Amino acid sequence: MNYYVGVDGGGTKTAICAASADASIIISEVTHSASWREYGVKQVVENIKKTISELPTGTDGIIAGIAMGMPCFGESEAGDIALTEALSIEFQGVPIYITNDVEVGWAGSLALAPGVNVVAGTGSIAFGKNELGETARCGGWSEFFSDEGSCYWVGRKVLELFSKQADGRVPRDELYDIIRSEWNIKNDFEAIDIIHSEYMTNRDKVASLQYYARDAALAGSNTAKALYREAARELCNLVFAIQEQLQFKEQPFPVSYSGGLFKTGDLILPHFFACIEEAGGKPVSPRYEPLYGALLLAFEQNNSEQLPQLKKRLEQQ
């Protein structure tokens, strides 16, 4: 029996899913990071091959096509070549579609339909495809100088606001009080040591500072509320840029969204939705998770006649 595989590669973990050709069987597994920059191409590819080979497809299971969303793909010519060559060796004769992980997010959230998907997690990025099949990516450059509107960006802004409120450059409010309480500091300059020792080399911890902004905003902090409005505008700029490139025929065009920042609900969603409508879009909730987006791409590339059956099956998952 033929199986088609979707791979949602991530920096922390990689989700892998296989479905039989008629989509009657869907199985999945989670494994280690797919970041070749951190772990090397050889280790990443070998781990993916091992995980796929251990999926319970039975003795007669044949992998007939794979779609992979991989972090950093499309950002390094040498890295793309090395990754493609290594996968070709490990999966000889198997058609493999490799793309950046942002495309599998779009594929899942919109079920392959034209539109834009915006991700605001630790980082921020957007991807769109129009009715002609043309694609565009926006954002996702690096938290070092970009990723505006992401949890990392908000976390860094939290530190900026705390320092300004500590100095008196802007009025103090609940954000200032929450950080002093959470870090148990009496001298504001103690924050410098905490930031250097615990946060500066830890991307995820900086992103977690977004929770201080959330708590402060819910407690009434005007500066924290304004920060979420600014984040919404930055994320909408990604959509404006993609619309400018792709010129969607459908108006308004669908815009899905995912990632931890959107889980703050009313702090950001009304502002984000209003901006999306300004850009000519209509907000829609994601239909499927990125793992299933990868599986949809695998079917689209290799077994397109069964796509309706797969979508029906995923609705039942």
Side-chain angles (χ1 to χ4, degrees), residues 105 109-110 116-120 125 235 239 254-263 265 268-269 272-273 276 282-288:
S109 65
L110 291 172
V116 178
N117 180 47
V118 179
V119 181
I125 193 168
L235 294 170
V239 179
V255 179
S256 63
Y257 51 94
S258 59
L261 197 75
F262 292 115
K263 293 180 181 179
I268 192 167
L269 289 178
F272 180 69
F273 291 168
I276 290 303
K282 59 178 179 182
V284 297
S285 299
R287 287 188 62 182
Y288 311 118

Side-chain angles (χ1 to χ4, degrees), residues 9-269:
T12 303
K13 64 180 180 179
T14 296
I16 298 176
C17 185
S20 57
D22 62 359
S24 62
I25 302 171
I26 298 179
I27 48 182
S28 60
E29 186 59 79
V30 176
T31 187
H32 307 296
S33 168
S35 175
W36 62 263
R37 289 190 190 275
E38 187 172 357
Y39 296 100
V41 168
K42 184 175 184 291
Q43 181 175 334
V44 165
V45 171
E46 286 180 353
N47 182 56
I48 290 174
K49 173 65 180 297
K50 180 177 182 292
T51 305
I52 291 175
S53 67
E54 292 175 350
L55 290 171
T57 57
T59 56
D60 62 342
I62 299 172
I63 304 302
I66 303 172
M68 294 188 180
M70 301 293 283
C72 306
F73 193 81
E75 299 170 7
S76 164
E77 183 177 1
D80 291 352
I81 292 172
L83 185 62
T84 302
E85 289 180 347
L87 288 168
S88 298
I89 292 171
E90 291 290 347
F91 296 97
Q92 290 187 26
V94 180
I96 305 176
Y97 176 71
I98 314 172
T99 185
N100 189 278
D101 54 345
V102 70
E103 185 171 353
V104 303
W106 161 84
S109 65
L110 291 172
L112 302 176
V116 178
N117 180 47
V118 179
V119 181
T122 302
S124 62
I125 193 168
F127 179 90
K129 181 178 282 189
N130 66 13
E131 295 84 354
L132 300 176
E134 299 168 330
T135 64
R137 165 185 160 175
C138 190
W141 288 93
S142 167
E143 72 274 5
F144 179 68
F145 62 91
S146 184
D147 275 2
E148 295 88 352
S150 68
C151 291
Y152 184 97
W153 179 88
V154 171
R156 201 172 56 187
K157 288 285 188 178
V158 164
L159 297 178
E160 177 187 329
L161 286 169
F162 174 77
S163 67
K164 288 180 176 178
Q165 291 188 12
D167 285 346
R169 286 179 280 165
V170 297
R172 293 177 179 177
D173 65 9
E174 292 82 357
L175 181 65
Y176 172 80
D177 296 331
I178 283 174
I179 292 178
R180 280 175 58 92
S181 175
E182 290 289 337
W183 287 356
N184 192 27
I185 57 176
K186 295 181 174 59
N187 179 346
D188 291 338
F189 292 109
E190 293 176 52
I192 296 174
D193 184 56
I194 294 173
I195 292 164
H196 276 265
S197 61
E198 298 182 25
Y199 288 88
M200 285 189 67
T201 59
N202 192 321
R203 182 171 178 256
D204 290 336
K205 284 207 70 171
V206 173
S208 73
L209 291 169
Q210 184 266 135
Y211 295 123
Y212 292 168
R214 177 200 63 189
D215 293 346
L218 292 174
S221 166
N222 289 324
T223 54
K225 291 177 183 178
L227 183 52
Y228 282 105
R229 291 195 296 271
E230 187 181 354
R233 174 58 64 178
E234 291 286 358
L235 294 170
C236 286
N237 285 340
L238 303 177
V239 179
F240 274 102
I242 288 180
Q243 158 64 356
E244 186 67 24
Q245 294 180 66
L246 297 183
Q247 296 294 309
F248 292 99
K249 293 180 180 179
E250 179 185 350
Q251 295 292 327
F253 58 92
V255 179
S256 63
Y257 51 94
S258 59
L261 197 75
F262 292 115
K263 293 180 181 179
T264 55
D266 287 344
L267 293 177
I268 192 167
L269 289 178

